[in-house]
């Protein structure tokens, strides 16, 4: 499943998936924190063991989140 979001500075969104699933987050633009880890334009994160994600924009940001089995 693909999710695309535009976040305003200070905006927080969450994503919860079932245990055992993986996720990829791509920072298309901007600056944000993913579960407390800073991401900038062009960064990516691969998540394998955390079913709950919290993304908070530090600047206007666009992201892609892919939820995989």
């Amino acid at each position: 499943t693909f999710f695309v979001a535009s976040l305003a500075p200070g905006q927080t969104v969450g994503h919860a998936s079932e245990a055992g699933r993986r996720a990829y987050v791509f920072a298309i633009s901007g600056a944000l924190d993913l579960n407390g880890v800073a991401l900038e334009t062009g960064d990516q994160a691969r998540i394998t063991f955390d079913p709950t994600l919290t993304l908070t924009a530090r600047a206007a940001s666009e992201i892609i989140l892919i939820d995989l089995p």
Side-chain angles (χ1 to χ4, degrees):
T1 306
F2 285 79
F3 300 93
V4 179
S6 294
L7 304 175
Q11 184 177 2
T12 298
V13 295
H15 176 75
S17 59
E18 295 177 19
R21 293 186 63 87
R22 298 173 293 145
Y24 292 102
V25 175
F26 298 92
I28 299 168
S29 64
L32 61 134
D33 293 326
L34 168 62
N35 289 2
V37 176
L39 298 177
E40 307 283 337
T41 299
D43 288 345
Q44 64 175 315
R46 297 177 183 149
I47 300 96
T48 55
F49 297 109
D50 195 345
T52 304
L53 305 178
T54 302
L55 300 112
T56 301
R58 290 182 279 118
S61 302
E62 293 185 335
I63 60 117
I64 296 173
L65 184 149
I66 305 170
D67 186 343
L68 298 166

